[in-house]
Structure formats: structure tokens, C-alpha cells
Amino acid sequence: MNWSVRPESFGTPDATRLRRAYYDEVASRYWGRPATAAEIDEGLAGDPPDHLVRPTGEFVVGRYGGEAASCGGLRVLDAGTAELTRVYVSPAARGTGGGGALLAALEEAARRLGARRLVLDTRLDLVEARGLYAKHGFQEIPAYGEKGPYSEIWYGKELTAPART
């Protein structure tokens, strides 16, 4: 099976299902118990898509064998920097190359938006995400922007120009 990753509206049924799964996983890990539907709804309500659309960003959904199984967002911070956010691969699809396909699509979107550098923040307990970022060339950087309770480690990556064919 192959992965395909394409821009998709933040509010499609597939994008919404994936964002709910993302919030469920990160909130459940944070609280050390299953997140409630109300907690997931609250997280989604506080996560408007305003900056995840062109020209200030992009949201993508990855499909594995035709099934929506990953998502991620990108928002422009300044003229040369974009931030990754809401990066998620469903547990059933992990280890199939979906994380790499998702990051490659987000990096290409960042280049199209003029970014030369990607940054992100995450939590220490999200070990799968941290491993994915390290595997794909992200390195730990000093904190940027406002620190929040869910930001414990920051990563950055310089983007190279796309290969000419």
C-alpha cells in the first residue's frame, strides 16, 4: 500500500476525525487517563483553522491505501519560518512510512509558502513524534514564541531547495 498526502480543508469529516483522534491521544497521555468527549470538544473548539489555510498556512491529510490515517498543519510565523502543528499518524498506520510522507508534504508546502526553516514544539512524553522528527533531520533548538504547559521541547530544520528535475 502507498501513502498519498494532499491539502484538505480543516473541517472535512476525515480531517475532523483525525484531529479528534490527535486530541484524544495527546490529552489522554497528558492526563494519564482516557480523555472525555467534552475535553476533546473543548480542545477542538480552541483550535481554529484561521492560520492553516493559504496564504498563512496549510492543512494536509494523508491516506494509506485510500483510508485517511494522518494529518498535519503548517502555519507561517514570519517571512522565512513556518511552524508544524497537529502532526498525527494513527497508531494502526505507524511504522508504514506515513510520518515521513506527511513531513515531506508539509516541508514542500512550507517551501511553496516561502519558508526556509521549519520549527515545532512538542511534549517529552510524545516519544513517537520526537523520534519521527529526529529521523527526518529536525534538531533540538531553544524555545521560541510563548511557552505553554504543553511545550517542553522545541525542534527546527533548515529547508533545502527542492531538487530540480
Side-chain angles (χ1 to χ4, degrees), residues 76 78-82 107 109-119 156-161:
V76 174
D78 61 41
T81 307
E107 287 180 21
R111 286 184 192 95
R112 284 193 306 270
L113 292 169
R116 296 176 309 279
R117 182 171 190 247
L118 283 176
V119 296
K157 179 179 181 178
E158 299 300 320
L159 297 177
T160 58

Side-chain angles (χ1 to χ4, degrees), residues 12-147:
T12 66
D14 284 339
T16 299
R17 181 181 55 76
L18 288 164
R19 290 186 310 108
R20 287 189 73 80
Y22 165 84
Y23 272 101
D24 185 15
E25 183 170 346
V26 298
S28 295
R29 286 189 186 195
Y30 183 78
W31 295 110
R33 61 166 172 74
T36 66
E39 289 167 332
I40 295 168
D41 290 341
E42 184 179 327
L44 289 171
D47 186 26
D50 302 2
H51 297 292
L52 300 181
V53 295
R54 290 182 173 265
T56 58
E58 190 159 276
F59 189 78
V60 299
V61 169
R63 286 181 167 69
Y64 184 59
E67 297 293 319
S70 69
C71 66
L74 175 75
R75 68 184 184 119
V76 174
L77 296 181
D78 61 41
T81 307
E83 179 182 47
L84 295 182
T85 184
R86 310 301 176 251
V87 174
Y88 176 76
V89 178
S90 67
R94 292 178 187 161
T96 63
L102 184 62
L103 289 179
L106 289 166
E107 287 180 21
E108 187 54 39
R111 286 184 192 95
R112 284 193 306 270
L113 292 169
R116 296 176 309 279
R117 182 171 190 247
L118 283 176
V119 296
L120 65 95
D121 65 71
T122 192
R123 294 193 333 240
L124 294 172
D125 65 323
L126 299 177
V127 294
E128 299 89 346
R130 292 176 50 217
L132 175 69
Y133 301 135
K135 179 180 177 181
H136 290 277
F138 286 81
Q139 296 181 347
E140 192 172 340
I141 61 171
Y144 63 89
E146 293 184 28
K147 293 182 185 179

